[in-house]
Amino acid sequence: MAHGLALHGRPRAALRLIRRIPRPDAAAFYAALKACHVSCLAAPARALFLRIRDPRPEHVVLFAGALARAGQLAEAAALAAAHRHLRVEILRAVIDGCRIAGDLQLGRSTAEQLLELDPLSADNYVLLGNAYAAQGRWKMVEKMREMARDLGLKPSKACSWIELKGKVHVFAVGDVAHPRSQRIRWEARRLMAAPVGGSDPETGDGLAGFALHDVDEERECVVGGHSEILAVVFGVLSTPETALVRVTKNARLSRPCHSAIKRISEAAGREVLLRDPLRFHHFRHGECSCGDVW
């Protein structure tokens, strides 16, 4: 239950549950640290971590992630130095913290360290390439792609999917293969342009460069053509007006898409539950359960 509450944006409720356990085990500490991690809570995470007599690797990585996401990047980086066998996982957590803090310089240098440590991971070339793209260093972006191609590495592509009536509908960036593609795109443009009470969707997200998919591919496509927008709008068109729209994405949401789905939720009067690799985003009345930090 605590883990589920953490994933759905209710960290305080998750931590209250954990406090009711007389002797928390490894799984309970994991759930509590997960709550701190997804909600960027450094102080509770530190208190929890100090209570664990024999921390497991997943505890250390979650603690480092909570610190990094709360902006305590130096302390998170120190954990990477202290736990050399977990350096790759912790450095990824530091990069995530750089994304939230807006520290492009540290994010790029950390991605460079990550590539040196694990040069056979396609994701590391994508991370560093996207960090260069966020700084407008396009020659370096192409260099990263060439290096990955020369090694035969294939980075993952972002996609989103929705299940309706027992059938899974999968959408990629700029997808036009779906039979209702034209209607979906038209409806996406209409909903994102509709007058609503909230602010307009953000159009820039340089910090999304610290992601494990090719965000440069998404930059070449308008927000309305991103996979999660296509899946959400298809769900709005294909389900009853009172139904919850459930979508899954294999990569972290970009900030423009997050803002766009908030707008779509409000304009269409629909609730949207979107799962990405980190958590659930529950959009309702133009707001999201993550509090705009993920």
PDB file of all heavy atoms in Angstrom, residues 43 51 88 139 265:
ATOM      1  N   ALA A  43      15.019  15.218   3.598  1.00  0.00           N
ATOM      2  CA  ALA A  43      15.156  15.024   5.044  1.00  0.00           C
ATOM      3  C   ALA A  43      14.537  13.705   5.506  1.00  0.00           C
ATOM      4  O   ALA A  43      15.190  12.940   6.236  1.00  0.00           O
ATOM      5  CB  ALA A  43      14.554  16.209   5.795  1.00  0.00           C
ATOM      6  N   ARG A  51      18.242   4.634   9.529  1.00  0.00           N
ATOM      7  CA  ARG A  51      17.640   3.580  10.346  1.00  0.00           C
ATOM      8  C   ARG A  51      17.936   2.178   9.796  1.00  0.00           C
ATOM      9  O   ARG A  51      17.758   1.191  10.518  1.00  0.00           O
ATOM     10  CB  ARG A  51      16.124   3.767  10.423  1.00  0.00           C
ATOM     11  CG  ARG A  51      15.673   4.949  11.262  1.00  0.00           C
ATOM     12  CD  ARG A  51      14.158   5.066  11.210  1.00  0.00           C
ATOM     13  NE  ARG A  51      13.500   3.846  11.671  1.00  0.00           N
ATOM     14  CZ  ARG A  51      12.188   3.612  11.525  1.00  0.00           C
ATOM     15  NH1 ARG A  51      11.419   4.518  10.915  1.00  0.00           N
ATOM     16  NH2 ARG A  51      11.656   2.491  11.978  1.00  0.00           N
ATOM     17  N   VAL A  88      27.075   3.651 -11.552  1.00  0.00           N
ATOM     18  CA  VAL A  88      26.256   3.871 -12.742  1.00  0.00           C
ATOM     19  C   VAL A  88      24.834   4.259 -12.353  1.00  0.00           C
ATOM     20  O   VAL A  88      24.278   5.251 -12.839  1.00  0.00           O
ATOM     21  CB  VAL A  88      26.242   2.619 -13.644  1.00  0.00           C
ATOM     22  CG1 VAL A  88      25.184   2.748 -14.735  1.00  0.00           C
ATOM     23  CG2 VAL A  88      27.610   2.401 -14.275  1.00  0.00           C
ATOM     24  N   LYS A 139      26.790  19.334 -33.251  1.00  0.00           N
ATOM     25  CA  LYS A 139      27.864  18.493 -33.784  1.00  0.00           C
ATOM     26  C   LYS A 139      28.181  17.354 -32.821  1.00  0.00           C
ATOM     27  O   LYS A 139      28.439  16.215 -33.237  1.00  0.00           O
ATOM     28  CB  LYS A 139      29.112  19.324 -34.042  1.00  0.00           C
ATOM     29  CG  LYS A 139      28.988  20.274 -35.233  1.00  0.00           C
ATOM     30  CD  LYS A 139      30.297  20.999 -35.495  1.00  0.00           C
ATOM     31  CE  LYS A 139      30.179  21.912 -36.714  1.00  0.00           C
ATOM     32  NZ  LYS A 139      31.451  22.647 -36.987  1.00  0.00           N
ATOM     33  N   SER A 265      -6.908  17.527 -20.450  1.00  0.00           N
ATOM     34  CA  SER A 265      -7.769  17.034 -19.371  1.00  0.00           C
ATOM     35  C   SER A 265      -8.823  18.061 -19.006  1.00  0.00           C
ATOM     36  O   SER A 265     -10.006  17.740 -18.835  1.00  0.00           O
ATOM     37  CB  SER A 265      -6.903  16.702 -18.145  1.00  0.00           C
ATOM     38  OG  SER A 265      -7.688  16.555 -16.988  1.00  0.00           O
TER      39      SER A 265
END
